[in-house]
Amino acid sequence: MSTTSDSVADRSRPKMALLLGLGLVLFFFLLALGTWQVQRLYWKEGLIQTIDERTHSAPVPLAEVEKRFAATGDVDYTPVTATGTFLHQGERHFFATWQGQSGFDVFTPLHLEDGRFVLINRGFVPYDLKDAAKRPQSQGATVTGLARNPLPAKPSMMLPDNDPQKNIFYWKDRDAMAASAGLPAGAGLVPFFIDADATPNPGGLPVGGVTVIDLPNSHLQYAVTWYGLAAALAGVLIFMLRHPVKEE
């Protein structure tokens, strides 16, 4: 009888060892996911704080923001002022919605006093007012708004490709916008966008101040979820060690 029990126990040990091994691998994987979410939490909190500090700071001249961009490559949401002349014939149109209405954000080249250009997101217009000829326009302007970093690539494969020939952009490809507007590349073009503030434009359009600052921060909940699953799995593994399944 003892020999039979020993034989069953011998057969069950490899299975138990395999289950425990797989469980330990999964346990450490869950811990790693939880730790990664904690790291993301600290990063996101720092980013939110940086953006909050930037958006509540006083606007600075364009030249100063350019220096910061050259040094760090990051000027997102930095308040800035720029003076020049709008080239409305070079408007580029970014498909957008505003307060439940479909239309476009209007990106207009601003010809700076030093001869260079910067693309200004002047704000939202309804779909049927895409044509600049249907809206009153101003020429000379001092724009106050937020600097926005250029995107290095299309942010999602789910987005349609831009259609420069129809002047419809689904993602903010600064170089393609500038090229299709006939602007010079390189040093002749400021390397970031500016989102204009809510200062009213002639006739009320475009509607400025459309920058959306919404950074969801659910990393704490994710971390608790992963660590909770790891704790539950640890409980299962301990139970298995204390109460091994016996084969009949």
Side-chain angles (χ1 to χ4, degrees):
M1 186 68 175
S2 175
T3 303
T4 302
S5 298
D6 291 343
S7 177
V8 170
D10 289 342
R11 292 198 303 271
S12 66
R13 286 194 187 102
K15 294 181 180 179
M16 177 65 70
L18 178 61
L19 288 174
L20 289 174
L22 292 175
L24 284 173
V25 170
L26 181 57
F27 173 75
F28 286 112
F29 179 68
L30 293 171
L31 283 183
L33 287 175
T35 301
W36 176 62
Q37 288 298 332
V38 170
Q39 294 170 344
R40 295 282 294 175
L41 173 64
Y42 289 138
W43 168 80
K44 182 62 71 65
E45 288 178 341
L47 179 61
I48 291 172
Q49 181 179 354
T50 296
I51 291 174
D52 184 67
E53 290 173 352
R54 288 181 180 178
T55 55
H56 288 88
S57 62
V60 295
L62 179 61
E64 175 61 28
V65 181
E66 288 186 87
K67 290 179 183 178
R68 296 181 190 179
F69 187 83
T72 66
D74 174 27
V75 292
D76 233 7
Y77 304 106
T78 301
V80 59
T81 60
T83 299
T85 302
F86 282 123
L87 303 181
H88 297 290
Q89 68 274 18
E91 278 190 1
R92 301 297 91 182
H93 303 108
F94 171 73
F95 184 78
T97 58
W98 179 249
Q99 297 181 345
Q101 188 175 17
S102 295
F104 300 92
D105 285 349
V106 177
F107 284 75
T108 306
L110 184 69
H111 192 191
L112 301 171
E113 295 172 337
D114 62 7
R116 297 179 305 142
F117 299 86
V118 59
L119 280 168
I120 307 291
N121 177 6
R122 298 178 62 227
F124 176 83
V125 297
Y127 199 90
D128 58 351
L129 293 176
K130 176 175 179 281
D131 185 357
K134 297 180 180 180
R135 297 178 263 112
Q137 303 291 0
S138 61
Q139 296 299 322
T142 294
V143 177
T144 300
L146 300 176
R148 300 303 311 278
N149 292 339
L151 296 176
K154 185 162 71 169
S156 170
M157 295 301 296
M158 301 298 292
L159 290 173
D161 290 332
N162 291 329
D163 192 344
Q165 291 186 344
K166 292 184 179 179
N167 193 4
I168 297 178
F169 292 81
Y170 298 98
W171 65 280
K172 298 173 184 177
D173 186 339
R174 171 187 155 275
D175 292 343
M177 284 183 173
S180 64
L183 303 184
L189 185 65
V190 173
F192 47 82
F193 299 107
I194 296 177
D195 284 357
D197 65 12
T199 300
N201 288 301
L205 293 174
V207 178
V210 297
T211 307
V212 176
I213 304 175
D214 182 17
L215 298 176
N217 188 6
S218 301
H219 298 295
L220 179 59
Q221 294 93 311
Y222 295 151
V224 170
T225 297
W226 294 125
Y227 284 142
L229 290 173
L233 179 59
V236 171
L237 294 177
I238 292 172
F239 182 85
M240 289 174 60
L241 285 171
R242 291 182 175 179
H243 304 85
V245 178
K246 295 182 179 180
E247 295 186 2
E248 297 297 334

